[in-house]
């Protein structure tokens, strides 16, 4: 099994339950969902002309659609060579659930690492049992994909972007009648740090005992 890797880097997780936790991010190439506010639109398309060597992919100084093909063993070895110390690994994209992530998950867990996947919930999850699943449901996006019930029922965390009350209402409608994990964490995340969106998210989180996700990495200006 090989993966199209847009970038691998070590930083702090800036969103959701693990905010502030040192993390290794593995960003996969490809996503057809088409969220208008997406801040990684360079990961959407998979073009053979954008394939580069692992060395060139790792040396990128700015966001680009260039990706490299790597196996699970390649990724583990790169993490060792780079001397990354974080034990929390975030598999993101793009849409990482486009890939079968079981081999990668098993290889990383064998190194004592904890995995988190950040997904739109629009693809079947092929992951290890121990993987922490963050579903950020994308509703009525241009790609036309539906959020899967099996993804929601597997979610450890549901992290929903909001700007207006209609986004909260859409989440309510999505979760209506849905079987969720008893201890699932529900986070509201203001889109683009807009003040009105933040005020709304804070209000709803307090009312419902949900959690606010403020994208700390953008306030700190880190990747």
């Amino acid at each position: 099994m090989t993966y199209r890797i847009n970038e691998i880097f070590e930083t702090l997780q800036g969103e959701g339950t693990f905010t502030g936790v040192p993390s290794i991010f593995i960003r996969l190439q490809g996503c057809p969902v088409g969220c208008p506010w997406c801040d990684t639109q360079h990961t959407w398309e998979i073009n053979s002309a954008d394939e580069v060597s692992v060395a060139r992919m790792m040396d990128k100084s700015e966001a680009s659609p260039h990706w490299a093909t790597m196996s699970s063993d390649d990724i583990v070895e790169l993490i060792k060579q780079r001397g990354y110390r974080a034990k929390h690994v975030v598999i993101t994209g793009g849409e990482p659930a486009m890939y079968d992530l079981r081999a990668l998950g098993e290889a990383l867990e064998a190194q004592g690492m904890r995995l988190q996947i950040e997904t739109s919930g629009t693809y079947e999850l092929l992951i290890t049992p121990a993987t922490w699943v963050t579903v950020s449901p994308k509703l009525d996006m241009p790609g036309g994909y539906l959020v899967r019930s099996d993804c929601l029922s597997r979610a450890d965390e549901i992290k929903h972007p909001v700007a207006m009350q209609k986004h909260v209402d859409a989440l309510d409608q999505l979760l209506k009648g849905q079987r969720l994990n008893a201890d699932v964490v529900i986070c509201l995340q203001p889109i683009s740090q807009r003040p009105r969106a933040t005020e709304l998210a804070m209000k709803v989180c307090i009312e419902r005992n949900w959690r606010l996700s403020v994208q700390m990495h953008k306030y700190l200006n880190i990747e």
Side-chain angles (χ1 to χ4, degrees):
M1 185 69 194
T2 59
Y3 304 91
R4 299 179 184 92
I5 308 295
N6 182 276
E7 56 182 339
I8 299 177
F9 58 95
E10 189 175 45
T11 186
L12 297 175
Q13 170 61 289
E15 301 178 356
T17 300
F18 296 102
T19 295
V21 174
S23 303
I24 298 166
F25 275 72
I26 300 174
R27 188 178 304 283
L28 301 178
Q29 188 75 16
C31 183
V33 178
C35 305
W37 63 81
C38 177
D39 56 6
T40 58
Q41 293 190 19
H42 59 282
T43 66
W44 287 5
E45 301 296 330
I46 300 175
N47 295 316
S48 58
D50 290 326
E51 183 174 10
V52 296
S53 67
V54 173
R56 184 176 172 190
M57 180 272 293
M58 291 298 296
D59 285 342
K60 288 193 294 187
S61 59
E62 58 185 19
S64 81
H66 294 135
W67 53 271
T69 299
M70 301 182 72
S71 68
S72 299
D73 290 342
D74 293 336
I75 293 169
V76 169
E77 184 60 29
L78 184 144
I79 288 172
K80 291 179 178 178
Q81 290 177 355
R82 291 273 165 162
Y84 293 158
R85 302 183 66 181
K87 292 298 183 181
H88 187 76
V89 178
V90 181
I91 304 177
T92 186
E95 174 45 71
M98 291 172 59
Y99 296 82
D100 185 337
L101 298 171
R102 289 171 291 192
L104 178 57
E106 290 167 359
L108 292 169
E109 288 172 354
Q111 302 299 313
M113 296 179 173
R114 174 182 58 196
L115 267 68
Q116 175 186 6
I117 178 176
E118 296 188 347
T119 174
S120 63
T122 55
Y123 282 79
E124 179 184 6
L125 296 174
L126 301 175
I127 55 176
T128 64
T131 299
W132 175 278
V133 176
T134 298
V135 175
S136 183
K138 302 303 190 294
L139 306 173
D140 299 322
M141 293 296 109
Y145 286 75
L146 298 177
V147 177
R148 296 170 59 107
S149 178
D150 56 336
C151 290
L152 291 171
S153 63
R154 175 62 178 82
D156 298 287
E157 173 182 47
I158 296 172
K159 178 163 58 69
H160 189 58
V162 297
M164 296 174 283
Q165 180 63 42
K166 69 177 184 179
H167 299 133
V168 179
D169 296 341
L171 178 62
D172 286 338
Q173 185 62 35
L174 177 69
L175 300 183
K176 185 177 181 180
Q178 172 68 46
R179 177 177 291 183
L180 302 175
N181 284 330
D183 54 354
V184 67
V185 179
I186 299 181
C187 302
L188 295 186
Q189 185 163 287
I191 295 175
S192 302
Q193 299 81 51
R194 298 171 186 170
R196 290 184 63 183
T198 301
E199 291 172 8
L200 171 63
M202 290 174 59
K203 175 179 178 291
V204 175
C205 285
I206 292 171
E207 290 174 349
R208 305 191 184 191
N209 199 31
W210 288 354
R211 184 173 298 187
L212 182 70
S213 176
V214 295
Q215 294 188 294
M216 179 190 72
H217 56 294
K218 294 187 177 180
Y219 287 98
L220 297 178
N221 196 29
I222 61 175
E223 189 171 13

